[in-house]
Amino acid sequence: CHLIHYLRLSHHLIVLNYLICTFDKLKSVSSEDIKITDAVFDGVEVRVFEPPAKGDESLKRSVVYIHGGGWALASARTSLYNNLCRIMAESLNAVVVSVEYRLVPEVCFPEQYHDALRATKHFLQPDVLAEYSVDPSRIAISGDSAGGNLAAAVCQQLSKDEDLPVRPKLQALIYPVLQAFDFNTPSYQQNMNMPVLPRYVMINYWIDYINGNYDLAHELLINNHTALNVGRALSFRARLNWTSLLPPSFKKNYKPVVQSTGTAAIVERLPALLD
């Protein structure tokens, strides 16, 4: 993939995702237990999983699910997420809406977030919920990894929307990517070289997502973008103090990495780092 990228034949993420989807894509076939349909919510593709009606139950709970993959890989249609959403729909007796947001490098931040938000807001309209027999008071938003990032961002925005008649009841985030402030958290330090996602790969996913250059990777690795002399980072520091926030069992041998002098220009070039 990287050789193809180097030869300028295609972006390496496009090639990698093509290989993933080629070997892993499933057809949208409904089973006796779960009805699976593809739809478009406000211009965004989604896959909907509907369990059969049970007894005299009139309305079901629901989950809006946003898949992971570094904002660049995977799909609601791959077997991993197809099977996950099918299991959720069966085990929860819930209507599951899996969002097929656009990916890097086709689009970068904030378009993935906009896709997830548009699809979710469309689903939360009372007439759409009625179409799928969903209880407006029992709707969750969930996602894993980069999808957890998008789920959290969508929930934050929905909580501020005063005109929204229906709001999510629950947020369930699975190993979510929640901040680009500190790439030396306890978990980054303890798992920096662990497969399948070593720290430098996660940093590269962030750079791709916010349309940056890989030449900044080392600066991010050592937290030069949030050094003490970077004024825009000061307001976040107290809220991201892992020494005070985490219990000892998670900190282990953790040593904070706080640079006294860093590179403020990074945040000027990549303002999304602190968005």
Side-chain angles (χ1 to χ4, degrees):
C1 293
H2 285 282
L3 176 61
I4 291 173
H5 191 159
Y6 178 77
L7 295 175
R8 298 184 179 181
L9 299 176
S10 182
H11 195 288
H12 72 278
L13 291 172
I14 293 178
V15 179
L16 181 57
N17 209 36
Y18 174 79
L19 294 174
I20 292 172
C21 293
T22 296
F23 289 104
D24 201 27
K25 185 179 291 186
L26 293 180
K27 293 182 179 179
S28 176
V29 178
S30 298
S31 69
E32 294 180 0
D33 299 322
I34 300 295
K35 177 184 176 184
I36 303 175
T37 55
D38 291 326
V40 177
F41 287 179
D42 193 15
V44 180
E45 296 180 10
V46 299
R47 175 161 284 191
V48 184
F49 301 75
E50 297 177 78
K54 293 185 177 181
D56 58 353
E57 181 186 51
S58 59
L59 297 177
K60 293 183 174 64
R61 58 177 67 87
S62 182
V63 179
V64 175
Y65 195 82
I66 308 174
H67 72 79
W71 305 282
L73 304 175
S75 164
R77 298 181 176 90
T78 56
S79 63
L80 170 63
Y81 290 107
N82 195 87
N83 292 337
L84 173 63
C85 291
R86 181 194 293 273
I87 290 170
M88 281 197 293
E90 290 177 343
S91 60
L92 298 174
N93 189 33
V95 175
V96 177
V97 176
S98 187
V99 181
E100 184 78 334
Y101 57 90
R102 292 171 294 166
L103 303 172
V104 172
E106 177 191 355
V107 298
C108 297
F109 175 86
E111 296 309 314
Q112 286 85 344
Y113 157 71
H114 287 156
D115 285 357
L117 180 63
R118 288 205 314 274
T120 303
K121 290 184 71 173
H122 177 88
F123 180 64
L124 292 177
Q125 295 179 53
D127 58 331
V128 179
L129 296 177
E131 177 185 348
Y132 289 99
S133 300
V134 169
D135 184 342
S137 68
R138 295 192 297 169
I139 301 172
I141 297 182
S142 184
D144 65 288
S145 194
N149 168 282
L150 296 173
V154 167
C155 278
Q156 285 186 337
Q157 183 58 40
L158 294 178
S159 70
K160 302 174 184 177
D161 192 337
E162 297 180 355
D163 298 325
L164 198 65
V166 178
R167 299 177 188 275
K169 178 72 172 180
L170 175 71
Q171 173 182 258
L173 309 180
I174 306 169
Y175 48 85
V177 186
L178 295 181
Q179 55 87 31
F181 184 92
D182 182 1
F183 289 105
N184 289 273
T185 63
S187 59
Y188 271 128
Q189 291 184 14
Q190 294 159 22
N191 303 285
M192 65 175 63
N193 295 314
M194 291 290 287
V196 293
L197 191 63
R199 179 173 55 165
Y200 76 90
V201 173
M202 188 66 242
I203 289 175
N204 285 342
Y205 277 127
W206 268 111
I207 290 173
D208 285 323
Y209 182 42
I210 59 180
N211 199 23
N213 294 317
Y214 293 136
D215 59 0
L216 295 176
H218 179 71
E219 301 248 35
L220 299 179
L221 186 72
I222 61 176
N223 286 347
N224 268 355
H225 63 302
T226 54
L228 294 176
N229 69 319
V230 180
R232 291 181 60 181
L234 294 179
S235 62
F236 296 96
R237 194 167 302 283
R239 289 190 286 165
L240 300 174
N241 184 339
W242 318 123
T243 302
S244 63
L245 291 172
L246 290 177
S249 61
F250 286 97
K251 287 186 289 191
K252 298 180 181 178
N253 297 320
Y254 167 61
K255 294 182 179 180
V257 176
V258 181
Q259 305 292 352
S260 58
T261 303
T263 310
I266 298 175
V267 180
E268 299 302 322
R269 291 173 60 183
L270 302 175
L273 281 170
L274 298 182
D275 188 329

